[in-house]
Amino acid sequence: MTLWTEICDLVTRKQVARLADRLVTLTEEERAELGGRLPGLVKELRRARTEQVRARHPEDFEELASWEVGDLLDELAGGLLLAGVGVITGPAAAVTWMTSRDVNRRWARDPNVGLVCRVAAARPLEWRREVAVRLAQRIRRPADRIAPLAVALLRESGAVPPDHDPLVAAWLAAPSVPGDPLTPVLLPRVFTADGAGRALREERLEPRPTRWLAAAARDLPREQVLDGCVSRFLRGGEPQDLRFFVRLHTLLDPTPAESAPRVRDYLRLLPSAPGTVAELAAGQVRAAMPLDHADLVEAVDALTFREEAKFAATGLRWLDQAIRATPESAADFVTALTTAYAHKSFDVRNRAAELTLKHAALFDGHAEAILDGAGHLPADLGAKLAGRFGGAVPAGELLERKEFPPLPEVPEARPFPEPSIFPGYHEHWVGHERWLAAFVAGIAEDRAGLSGKLRRHVEEHQGHWRSRDVLLHPADWQSALSAELVTPGSVPEPPPIEPEKFWDGASHSVQVRELTRGEEPAPEEPLRFTMGRFGFHRPGRYLDDDAPLRAFFITWTSDDGPEAAVAREGDRQIPFSGGRIHLNGSPADGAERIYDDWLPGHPHPVRSKPGVLYDDSGEAMPSHVLDDVYEHLAELGVDPARVAAMRAGEPVPPPGPDEPLVQVTVVFIPSRLRSYLPEPLPEHEEWRRRNRLPRPGGVAPLHDFLLHRYVELAAALRDGTLPPVLLATPTWMSGHLDPDVLVDRLETCAAAEVEPPPADLAQALLRLPRGRHPAAADRAAKVDSEAARSAARWLAGDGLADPGCGLVWRHMAGGSMVDFGDAEPEHFTEVRLQPELRVTAPTGHRLIDEVLLRQPDGWRSDESGGTLGAWPAMLPSHREVVAVNLLPFLLYGTGARG
């Protein structure tokens, strides 16, 4: 085999690891020889595949050939790229090859950067540096397939990165490496490179500065970073492109002394910069006060010009302060006042009119300008200015004083109904609370009696809850609790995780191809096979030349038939003759014991049946696999009589002189290799699985907390540790719980020497009215239980501190959700309302801090719909937390029943 044939064979068989091994051993003379022939390889591949398609579909082969050639080049792109790096001598020609449409394929797998760098390392240093620079200059956007490779080659070769903006964004998006040699050169360029800000838009300050924010603040001179941020603001751009620089500027938190030299730049940002930038600039201007008078007038004019009410209000506040400090300068602020008259915010217009009247004596010389601007004010405000400055009352109907009726009295909360094991179905959350209270109290008072009442219900309502891995609705949990009470042990934990099967219907694949006589593969050549375009795989293992699965391969040619087939397991070759498998070319010592030698511990006999392969567990390859083979042989022109002999397992007659030579390759994946045992779940997730809870974050926080109450009651029922009474049952229909009733229940539990379950205690505390309850706290402190002591601390304090609640509108951009800036984006495909919940002071109760007060997700879980109605009564003193959790449902019109 010649060197050229060897390289071509490795490329076409997609053996990229072996190809890399061979390329690094080439001499410069060999590279020169191969480099000139490499472009011809692609032409030959195109021609050969096109001819194959023409032979199968002579009528309309052009379009089909185009698709198949494209698929072939997609599969071979990695090997072709590697070959070009290894053999092309000119750097410019190498980069042209690497970025050509035949090698840099859109749908191909991403280049194997490690292998390419390994092959490139065998080339001269100057060659590597020039290739790295030229390749970097070809980057057009960070997502280019060549971008990670260009960054890696620059790092490996030590080349000076070119001044190319897309390279900076690509470098920012590439995985980081310790001691990156590109950082000193490229990090300062983020302030000037187009696209860098967008690549960095997801950087965050909280809970700690993320990678690039920390790096810029740590590795670059402080003055350079401040100048870079300000210059980037002055260039303008979309809010998301400037977000990183705003956060970096905030992280540095410049002192007034540092802000003073840049005040003129900050002033230039006030009129039209995006809101976040303008807010930052206004803060820096304020920190640099007192300003030169002309600068202050410019700042006030700029702020009152903006359409955002908060900026205009800031400008008017500065105006008022300036006039009070220097009354003689009032005339300089007339323009800002009259601009504010036309603001879209009523509060701004009203404040501007108030300030005009407040300092009216100072504006007497500018009555004409004020009256001209007053036309933009509402009629009543315009009339006030006209009355003071002597002008005509503006046309327009004055608003009459409107009298509003008094607010209705808040109705007194109704008492919560008594517990009931059979509440009405129309009661929703009230019925669920009544059932829980009756169930727990009923077991304490008369377990047998309650079991008798529920027996008929359990027998008639088996439902589907038993087959569900996760129970999401209170009704399912009530059924499970009832069944466990009636028949203890009838609600077992879900079984352990079993091995999972994958691609069970794709246990085999067949390749039947015509060969040119005289070019048959040598018997010792390794067999490789790919099932489908992307290869057959299971998690962590791929059927390719780098990590072969232990699959069985059979190959033979139509001249010899299956009698001369060769079977392989991995790299072990097993001649497959007469229906029996032999090792190393000679019969094994006793066919029935062949697997004793091959795979110890699996002594299964090999059946004497032509064309059938059994694996070490005795599983036979399906017979229909070879049926497909024989059909393909007949289609390609093999003598039907010879095909029939192969099918029957009889001696195969020799081929005719005009009969084609066809090679058959079959891959068979036994069932033991088509399943895997998933990785063990983390302990907290396994606990959730065993208790039929959804995965963390699978439902809304309030729904998750509600399910925890049922889970702990189910565990207490199995363990015989149920309390005599539930703590959390409300005393009023608002959901509130009387503090003295809570202490009564704590005393009952303490007398029974039973600690209430944690979720029940947490829910009871959350239902207490706001404020301190010293009398109840003193009573609770005298109860000898851990739950009572915890309740005493809560009652004596202020309870749950008000969390910070809010929302952010987000939209899809570049494959990820980003916050809206000051302006609506030109194009967006999805809008989401993202709730924000910030805990200001942890309570010390794990289920409250980690489950109930978890930051809600921005997506809506349909499974939470049945419990929405229960949420307000879970937090009757903190309805704002409920509102934040309901926000994801706001856009979808989900009802609040449940």
Side-chain angles (χ1 to χ4, degrees):
M1 181 184 295
T2 66
L3 177 60
W4 171 246
T5 304
E6 179 185 4
I7 297 298
C8 291
D9 183 69
L10 292 172
V11 171
T12 55
R13 291 179 181 271
K14 300 182 285 295
Q15 298 178 359
V16 290
R18 295 186 181 181
L19 176 61
D21 292 339
R22 188 67 182 91
L23 290 172
V24 298
T25 66
L26 297 177
T27 65
E28 290 303 317
E29 291 76 15
E30 290 172 331
R31 297 184 200 278
E33 174 194 347
L34 296 172
R37 303 181 66 177
L38 191 57
L41 174 60
V42 175
K43 294 180 180 179
E44 178 58 25
L45 290 171
R46 285 180 174 275
R47 185 199 62 77
R49 182 54 60 92
T50 301
E51 291 303 317
Q52 290 176 7
V53 177
R54 187 199 300 270
R56 297 197 308 267
H57 306 278
E59 297 82 7
D60 52 352
F61 74 94
E62 290 89 351
E63 183 175 358
L64 184 59
S66 175
W67 281 103
E68 292 207 14
V69 168
D71 287 345
L72 175 65
L73 293 177
D74 287 347
E75 294 175 3
L76 301 182
L80 292 171
L81 173 65
L82 208 59
V85 173
V87 305
I88 298 178
T89 55
V95 173
T96 300
W97 172 264
M98 296 164 70
T99 56
S100 66
R101 66 184 183 94
D102 292 329
V103 177
N104 187 28
R105 306 283 301 174
R106 179 180 181 183
W107 300 112
R109 291 182 181 178
D110 291 336
N112 188 322
V113 174
L115 280 182
V116 175
C117 289
R118 180 183 167 216
V119 172
R123 308 302 302 273
L125 178 61
E126 289 306 317
W127 184 95
R128 302 201 313 268
R129 288 179 172 173
E130 187 172 349
V131 165
V133 171
R134 288 178 177 270
L135 191 64
Q137 290 172 331
R138 298 290 185 99
I139 298 174
R140 292 295 174 264
R141 57 188 185 279
D144 280 356
R145 292 180 66 254
I146 62 169
L149 180 57
V151 171
L153 289 174
L154 286 170
R155 287 169 172 162
E156 185 274 335
S157 66
V160 177
D163 188 6
H164 185 56
D165 286 357
L167 169 63
V168 179
W171 171 70
L172 292 169
S176 61
V177 297
D180 188 353
L182 301 181
T183 299
V185 181
L186 295 184
L187 186 57
R189 297 185 190 175
V190 300
F191 301 104
T192 57
D194 288 338
R198 183 153 301 195
L200 294 167
R201 66 182 181 274
E202 295 301 324
E203 290 285 303
R204 292 285 187 265
L205 286 172
E206 300 293 342
R208 65 181 63 87
T210 47
R211 171 187 169 192
W212 291 116
L213 283 170
R218 179 186 64 244
D219 299 336
L220 296 178
R222 185 177 175 86
E223 287 296 312
Q224 181 182 0
V225 174
L226 289 174
D227 287 340
C229 289
V230 173
S231 65
R232 187 64 189 83
F233 298 149
L234 291 171
R235 287 174 55 196
E238 295 295 325
Q240 64 233 33
D241 296 336
L242 299 176
R243 184 181 301 148
F244 169 80
F245 305 102
V246 171
R247 290 172 176 168
L248 179 57
H249 193 284
T250 302
L251 178 61
L252 292 184
D253 190 20
T255 64
E258 291 174 316
S259 300
R262 301 178 177 87
V263 165
R264 292 299 306 163
D265 292 327
Y266 292 127
L267 288 171
R268 291 167 59 194
L269 295 171
L270 292 179
S272 57
T276 53
V277 177
E279 186 173 5
L280 176 152
Q284 296 306 307
V285 171
R286 182 173 58 252
M289 287 183 176
L291 300 178
D292 178 81
H293 179 69
D295 289 342
L296 180 59
V297 172
E298 179 181 345
V300 171
D301 285 345
L303 290 171
T304 53
F305 173 77
R306 294 188 67 98
E307 64 178 9
E308 299 96 324
K310 63 179 180 180
F311 291 120
T314 298
L316 292 177
R317 186 167 61 252
W318 291 1
L319 176 151
D320 185 31
Q321 294 170 354
I323 292 177
R324 284 190 283 111
T326 55
E328 66 276 9
S329 66
D332 296 333
F333 296 103
V334 171
T335 300
L337 277 176
T338 55
T339 299
Y341 294 165
H343 201 278
K344 66 180 183 180
S345 168
F346 172 80
D347 290 337
V348 172
R349 297 198 300 271
N350 186 63
R351 180 59 177 158
E354 289 178 351
L355 289 176
T356 305
L357 294 171
K358 176 181 178 181
H359 303 290
L362 302 175
F363 297 130
D364 284 337
H366 301 276
E368 183 178 355
I370 290 175
L371 292 174
D372 286 344
H376 297 287
L377 290 169
D380 56 339
L381 293 178
K384 290 180 180 180
L385 292 184
R388 171 61 182 81
F389 291 95
V393 176
E397 184 179 349
L398 295 178
L399 294 178
E400 295 182 4
R401 183 176 181 84
K402 194 173 185 68
E403 295 291 338
F404 293 95
L407 293 175
E409 294 291 332
V410 178
E412 185 177 351
R414 293 179 290 123
F416 196 78
E418 292 297 317
S420 172
I421 203 66
F422 295 113
Y425 286 103
H426 64 282
E427 295 186 56
H428 304 300
W429 76 269
V430 175
H432 296 154
E433 290 288 348
R434 295 180 68 195
W435 189 94
L436 281 175
F439 183 79
V440 172
I443 292 176
E445 296 168 2
D446 183 6
R447 186 186 186 104
L450 181 61
S451 177
K453 291 180 181 179
L454 289 173
R455 184 175 300 279
R456 182 178 177 182
H457 173 82
V458 170
E459 292 173 350
E460 293 180 353
H461 298 84
Q462 291 293 331
H464 299 288
W465 64 268
R466 291 184 182 274
S467 61
R468 293 173 181 156
D469 294 330
V470 175
L471 300 183
L472 294 172
H473 199 279
D476 290 336
W477 279 104
Q478 291 174 14
S479 297
L481 289 168
S482 300
E484 181 65 24
L485 173 64
V486 172
T487 309
S490 64
V491 187
E493 289 184 353
I497 297 177
E498 297 291 337
E500 297 181 15
K501 290 187 175 182
F502 62 96
W503 278 20
D504 207 28
S507 62
H508 64 276
S509 188
V510 175
Q511 185 183 76
V512 182
R513 65 187 183 118
E514 187 174 347
L515 300 177
T516 302
R517 294 189 179 276
E519 294 187 4
E520 300 92 327
E524 66 275 5
E525 283 190 31
L527 293 175
R528 300 292 176 195
F529 200 86
T530 301
M531 297 183 67
R533 175 176 174 184
F534 298 106
F536 188 104
H537 84 284
R538 61 189 173 98
R541 299 292 301 280
Y542 288 85
L543 187 61
D544 59 21
D545 58 300
D546 295 320
L549 278 173
R550 294 184 59 223
F552 295 90
F553 300 82
I554 312 170
T555 184
W556 76 85
T557 64
S558 59
D559 281 4
D560 302 316
E563 290 292 311
V566 172
R568 295 190 179 210
E569 195 270 352
D571 288 330
R572 300 289 298 275
Q573 178 171 308
I574 310 151
F576 187 51
S577 176
R580 292 179 181 272
I581 301 177
H582 301 273
L583 287 174
N584 302 322
S586 60
D589 185 17
E592 286 75 21
R593 295 179 54 78
I594 184 171
Y595 285 105
D596 285 338
D597 299 325
W598 184 22
L599 291 175
H602 296 277
H604 296 282
V606 178
R607 277 66 169 216
S608 180
K609 182 177 180 182
V612 177
L613 175 66
Y614 290 81
D615 81 327
D616 57 310
S617 65
E619 180 182 357
M621 185 172 67
S623 59
H624 64 80
V625 175
L626 295 183
D627 291 341
D628 294 340
V629 169
Y630 298 135
E631 291 176 7
H632 284 307
L633 290 174
E635 291 173 359
L636 292 174
V638 177
D639 187 343
R642 300 181 68 247
V643 174
M646 297 178 197
R647 189 187 295 270
E650 300 172 352
V652 181
D658 298 328
E659 185 175 312
L661 176 64
V662 179
Q663 183 189 50
V664 175
T665 305
V666 178
V667 61
F668 171 49
I669 312 293
S671 60
R672 63 189 172 83
L673 300 179
R674 299 198 306 275
S675 64
Y676 71 101
L677 184 65
E679 291 292 327
L681 294 174
E683 183 177 352
H684 69 285
E685 291 191 26
E686 175 60 18
W687 179 86
R688 280 179 168 270
R689 188 192 71 81
R690 291 199 311 269
N691 288 281
R692 301 177 186 267
L693 283 174
R695 60 177 177 78
V699 294
L702 297 186
H703 188 185
D704 200 10
F705 180 81
L706 179 62
L707 296 180
H708 273 75
R709 293 184 64 197
Y710 286 95
V711 167
E712 67 181 14
L713 290 180
L717 178 61
R718 289 193 300 267
D719 300 339
T721 58
L722 275 175
V725 63
L726 276 185
L727 301 181
T729 305
T731 49
W732 295 295
M733 286 295 292
S734 62
H736 282 101
L737 171 62
D738 186 283
D740 288 318
V741 173
L742 171 60
V743 179
D744 292 342
R745 293 170 181 173
L746 287 168
E747 291 173 343
T748 302
C749 292
E753 298 183 347
V754 177
E755 282 287 346
D760 182 37
L761 172 63
Q763 178 62 91
L765 298 178
L766 291 170
R767 282 181 165 155
L768 292 170
R770 281 180 176 265
R772 301 184 180 188
H773 308 280
D778 291 341
R779 286 184 58 202
K782 299 174 184 177
V783 179
D784 186 17
S785 73
E786 186 58 41
R789 286 187 284 274
S790 178
R793 291 190 293 270
W794 188 286
L795 290 163
D798 294 322
L800 175 65
D802 291 334
C805 298
L807 63 94
V808 173
W809 285 99
R810 313 195 82 201
H811 68 97
M812 183 67 71
S816 61
M817 299 299 295
V818 300
D819 295 350
F820 271 97
D822 294 287
E824 180 178 299
E826 185 177 354
H827 301 289
F828 57 83
T829 57
E830 181 180 348
V831 175
R832 184 176 298 167
L833 198 159
Q834 174 63 51
E836 290 193 337
L837 181 66
R838 296 176 300 280
V839 178
T840 54
T843 65
H845 293 266
R846 185 187 66 83
L847 290 173
I848 296 178
D849 297 335
E850 299 181 12
V851 178
L852 185 134
L853 295 181
R854 174 177 61 82
Q855 169 74 31
D857 293 311
W859 50 269
R860 176 195 66 163
S861 169
D862 291 331
E863 299 295 347
S864 293
T867 66
L868 299 186
W871 294 2
M874 293 171 63
L875 285 155
S877 298
H878 290 277
R879 297 293 179 88
E880 73 280 9
V881 178
V882 179
V884 166
N885 278 269
L886 288 171
L887 285 176
F889 299 82
L890 185 63
L891 300 182
Y892 301 95
T894 302
R897 300 180 64 188

